[in-house]
Amino acid sequence: MIIIGSDHTGIELKKKIISYLYENKIEYADVTNFENQEGDDYPDIARIICTKVLEKNNNLGIAICGTGIGISIASNKIRGIRAATCTNEYMAEMARKDNNANVLCLGARLKNSERTDNVISIVDSFINHFYDGGRHERRLKKIKELENIYLKDGR
């Protein structure tokens, strides 16, 4: 299932992506507002999306803010999340294949987001590629070690 959400800057882009998911019978859950709300800050949105993504192994997330950067930073603070801000199909493909990314972060205010077909191609690439494993396992293990580094000494 695709878990999708946005802060106030990404609502219109989210609607376009939801239309694509609906038309293509791709299961999704919109976990955020469909209208601009006071206080819909991207760290809060990241928490909501990522919590749902982690509920099932095959869930993926799409998180949208103005640039995709803030929501990516916030998402990556959550253990088990590998969020990637992608601005083209190749980045989305490699985020999945090499890094086993489970959250795609998009920027609603970016030039590449002005055309719906550009965004849909990024989304499509992200959800239709899969982790290659193999030589990438070593790196993912190191990422997991980084996630746990401060859990040992209480910081």
Side-chain angles (χ1 to χ4, degrees), residues 55-108:
E55 285 180 0
K56 290 187 181 173
N57 279 344
N58 60 345
N59 283 350
L60 294 175
I62 300 175
I64 308 163
C65 70
T67 62
I69 297 169
I71 205 155
S72 175
I73 292 170
S75 295
N76 280 310
K77 297 296 181 187
I78 299 170
R79 191 167 10 149
I81 293 296
R82 291 168 307 282
T85 303
C86 299
T87 57
N88 61 50
E89 291 174 32
Y90 180 72
M91 290 175 74
E93 175 184 348
M94 299 316 288
R96 292 285 293 138
K97 290 171 82 173
D98 286 4
N99 306 114
N100 200 17
N102 51 9
V103 176
L104 169 64
C105 298
L106 299 170

Side-chain angles (χ1 to χ4, degrees), residues 1 13 18 22 27 31 40 52 61 72 130 135-136 144:
M1 176 182 292
L13 182 59
I18 286 173
Y22 179 79
E27 188 178 8
V31 295
D40 63 351
K52 290 287 189 188
S72 175
F130 302 92
R135 65 187 174 93
H136 305 292
K144 287 177 186 177

Side-chain angles (χ1 to χ4, degrees), residues 3-6 14 29-33 45 48-50 52 62:
I3 311 300
I4 188 168
S6 70
K14 180 180 72 167
D30 180 4
V31 295
T32 57
N33 297 314
I45 304 306
I48 294 166
I49 294 166
C50 294
K52 290 287 189 188
I62 300 175

